[in-house]
Amino acid sequence: MGDTIDYIRNWRRYLVEDLGGEVLEIGVGSGANIKYYRNAHHVWAIEPDGEKVAAARAVGGHASVPVEVREAAAEALPFEDDTFDHVVSSLVFCSVTEPKQALAEIERVLRPGGTLHMLEHVRPQTAPLGWLAAAVTPAWSKAAGNCHLDRMTVELLKQQGWQVQVHRQVGVFVRMDATKP
């Protein structure tokens, strides 16, 4: 378990450490990624859970870049159009209530040429494991904050017209970047 946690921690660092400009992180949770930002001019973060917002604000107070955390959902981003150079999603899209709406909002707030950077878990690629994930998801999502083990996030991005570059996939975890042409 410790190796998996270290592995995910390294993926989180690689996800955000080189991002510059204005950055939005959706579903910041308690702020696990915040300490890894090094080059951003400003990090704006949203989180729908008020208790986690408070925790993320505390972490943001010690960050090496300016961080502002707001309570909001990915499906209704409280920002103007064309505001961000980068949007970050880190283990979030499994639990977003309306993934298509969240992607439309991300597209709206990204500046032309901006990039969506994602670290997500997705539906297993092998048929038996994919079937198992789909079978377990209804009960799991109720117990685990709406987490869906069977989300096909890469495919959804492509269906919504995003160009997706998968950097790495290990098991159910995928690190990818997506842009809108």
Side-chain angles (χ1 to χ4, degrees):
M1 181 73 164
D3 290 341
T4 301
I5 291 171
D6 288 341
Y7 198 70
I8 296 300
R9 186 178 300 128
N10 286 334
W11 278 30
R12 286 180 182 277
R13 183 171 43 90
Y14 295 135
L15 183 68
V16 303
E17 71 181 348
D18 293 330
L19 301 181
E22 300 296 320
V23 177
L24 170 63
E25 182 169 338
I26 63 167
V28 70
S30 299
N33 291 342
I34 290 174
K35 65 184 175 186
Y36 299 119
Y37 287 98
R38 298 283 182 256
N39 297 310
H41 296 156
H42 196 111
V43 175
W44 302 87
I46 59 126
E47 169 59 45
D49 181 315
E51 290 180 19
K52 290 181 180 178
V53 167
R57 284 180 178 154
V59 173
H62 301 286
S64 62
V65 300
V67 175
E68 182 176 328
V69 182
R70 296 183 184 179
E71 188 170 341
E75 297 89 346
L77 297 175
F79 302 102
E80 299 292 323
D81 296 358
D82 304 326
T83 301
F84 299 101
D85 301 298
H86 304 278
V87 174
V88 172
S89 169
S90 179
L91 304 175
V92 169
F93 257 77
C94 62
S95 57
V96 168
T97 303
E98 297 290 337
K100 289 180 183 178
Q101 178 61 32
L103 286 174
E105 280 290 281
I106 290 168
E107 181 180 354
R108 180 184 65 77
V109 301
L110 265 176
R111 291 181 176 142
T115 304
L116 170 58
H117 306 273
M118 301 179 90
L119 166 58
E120 297 292 342
H121 70 80
V122 296
R123 181 185 175 111
Q125 293 179 331
T126 61
L129 291 178
W131 176 86
L132 180 62
V136 170
T137 288
W140 177 262
S141 67
K142 288 178 184 171
N146 201 42
C147 175
H148 291 73
L149 301 172
D150 60 347
R151 288 262 167 99
M152 299 175 68
T153 304
V154 176
E155 292 79 1
L156 176 62
L157 283 160
K158 290 177 180 178
Q159 289 169 3
Q160 298 300 309
W162 293 79
Q163 292 180 340
V164 179
Q165 178 184 10
V166 173
H167 294 284
R168 187 156 197 194
Q169 184 161 2
V170 176
V172 297
F173 295 100
V174 63
R175 162 68 178 96
M176 63 189 141
D177 291 336
T179 55
K180 262 306 195 146

